[in-house]
PDB file of all heavy atoms in Angstrom:
ATOM      1  N   GLY A 186     -15.324   9.552  26.368  1.00 93.00           N
ATOM      2  CA  GLY A 186     -14.915  10.715  27.018  1.00 93.00           C
ATOM      3  C   GLY A 186     -15.098  11.973  26.057  1.00 93.00           C
ATOM      4  O   GLY A 186     -15.527  11.884  24.955  1.00 93.00           O
ATOM      5  N   ASP A 187     -14.666  13.083  26.555  1.00 92.00           N
ATOM      6  CA  ASP A 187     -14.866  14.356  25.759  1.00 92.00           C
ATOM      7  C   ASP A 187     -13.791  14.581  24.681  1.00 92.00           C
ATOM      8  O   ASP A 187     -12.645  14.460  24.876  1.00 92.00           O
ATOM      9  CB  ASP A 187     -14.733  15.505  26.805  1.00 92.00           C
ATOM     10  CG  ASP A 187     -15.065  16.923  26.199  1.00 92.00           C
ATOM     11  OD1 ASP A 187     -15.681  16.904  25.076  1.00 92.00           O
ATOM     12  OD2 ASP A 187     -14.581  17.849  26.762  1.00 92.00           O
ATOM     13  N   SER A 188     -14.307  14.846  23.569  1.00 92.00           N
ATOM     14  CA  SER A 188     -13.530  15.061  22.280  1.00 92.00           C
ATOM     15  C   SER A 188     -13.766  16.306  21.659  1.00 92.00           C
ATOM     16  O   SER A 188     -13.341  16.615  20.577  1.00 92.00           O
ATOM     17  CB  SER A 188     -13.579  13.965  21.310  1.00 92.00           C
ATOM     18  OG  SER A 188     -14.921  13.811  20.923  1.00 92.00           O
ATOM     19  N   THR A 189     -14.354  17.281  22.366  1.00 90.00           N
ATOM     20  CA  THR A 189     -14.955  18.536  21.633  1.00 90.00           C
ATOM     21  C   THR A 189     -13.837  19.519  21.397  1.00 90.00           C
ATOM     22  O   THR A 189     -13.933  20.306  20.443  1.00 90.00           O
ATOM     23  CB  THR A 189     -16.049  19.232  22.564  1.00 90.00           C
ATOM     24  OG1 THR A 189     -15.507  19.396  23.835  1.00 90.00           O
ATOM     25  CG2 THR A 189     -17.240  18.381  22.667  1.00 90.00           C
ATOM     26  N   ASP A 190     -12.802  19.495  22.165  1.00 91.00           N
ATOM     27  CA  ASP A 190     -11.734  20.608  21.940  1.00 91.00           C
ATOM     28  C   ASP A 190     -10.532  20.147  21.113  1.00 91.00           C
ATOM     29  O   ASP A 190      -9.525  20.806  21.183  1.00 91.00           O
ATOM     30  CB  ASP A 190     -11.191  20.982  23.272  1.00 91.00           C
ATOM     31  CG  ASP A 190     -12.361  21.754  24.164  1.00 91.00           C
ATOM     32  OD1 ASP A 190     -13.279  22.257  23.457  1.00 91.00           O
ATOM     33  OD2 ASP A 190     -12.329  21.785  25.334  1.00 91.00           O
ATOM     34  N   LEU A 191     -10.676  18.982  20.377  1.00 96.00           N
ATOM     35  CA  LEU A 191      -9.547  18.449  19.674  1.00 96.00           C
ATOM     36  C   LEU A 191      -9.361  19.297  18.310  1.00 96.00           C
ATOM     37  O   LEU A 191     -10.331  19.479  17.579  1.00 96.00           O
ATOM     38  CB  LEU A 191      -9.676  17.011  19.254  1.00 96.00           C
ATOM     39  CG  LEU A 191      -9.867  16.060  20.467  1.00 96.00           C
ATOM     40  CD1 LEU A 191     -10.207  14.779  20.038  1.00 96.00           C
ATOM     41  CD2 LEU A 191      -8.571  16.070  21.318  1.00 96.00           C
ATOM     42  N   ASN A 192      -8.079  19.655  18.158  1.00 96.00           N
ATOM     43  CA  ASN A 192      -7.892  20.246  16.741  1.00 96.00           C
ATOM     44  C   ASN A 192      -7.549  19.234  15.758  1.00 96.00           C
ATOM     45  O   ASN A 192      -7.456  17.991  16.049  1.00 96.00           O
ATOM     46  CB  ASN A 192      -6.613  21.292  16.809  1.00 96.00           C
ATOM     47  CG  ASN A 192      -5.444  20.558  17.324  1.00 96.00           C
ATOM     48  OD1 ASN A 192      -5.116  19.348  17.077  1.00 96.00           O
ATOM     49  ND2 ASN A 192      -4.419  21.376  17.879  1.00 96.00           N
ATOM     50  N   LEU A 193      -7.537  19.521  14.455  1.00 97.00           N
ATOM     51  CA  LEU A 193      -7.313  18.556  13.375  1.00 97.00           C
ATOM     52  C   LEU A 193      -6.188  17.684  13.563  1.00 97.00           C
ATOM     53  O   LEU A 193      -6.066  16.552  13.298  1.00 97.00           O
ATOM     54  CB  LEU A 193      -7.546  19.258  12.004  1.00 97.00           C
ATOM     55  CG  LEU A 193      -7.364  18.391  10.829  1.00 97.00           C
ATOM     56  CD1 LEU A 193      -8.457  17.148  10.826  1.00 97.00           C
ATOM     57  CD2 LEU A 193      -7.537  19.160   9.380  1.00 97.00           C
ATOM     58  N   GLN A 194      -5.097  18.447  13.952  1.00 97.00           N
ATOM     59  CA  GLN A 194      -3.714  17.684  14.054  1.00 97.00           C
ATOM     60  C   GLN A 194      -3.932  16.506  15.062  1.00 97.00           C
ATOM     61  O   GLN A 194      -3.412  15.366  14.896  1.00 97.00           O
ATOM     62  CB  GLN A 194      -2.597  18.613  14.542  1.00 97.00           C
ATOM     63  CG  GLN A 194      -2.289  19.621  13.435  1.00 97.00           C
ATOM     64  CD  GLN A 194      -3.058  20.951  13.552  1.00 97.00           C
ATOM     65  OE1 GLN A 194      -4.285  20.975  13.957  1.00 97.00           O
ATOM     66  NE2 GLN A 194      -2.450  22.088  13.143  1.00 97.00           N
TER      67      GLN A 194
END
Side-chain angles (χ1 to χ4, degrees):
D187 185 19
S188 60
T189 55
D190 294 330
L191 298 174
N192 59 27
L193 179 54
Q194 291 91 329

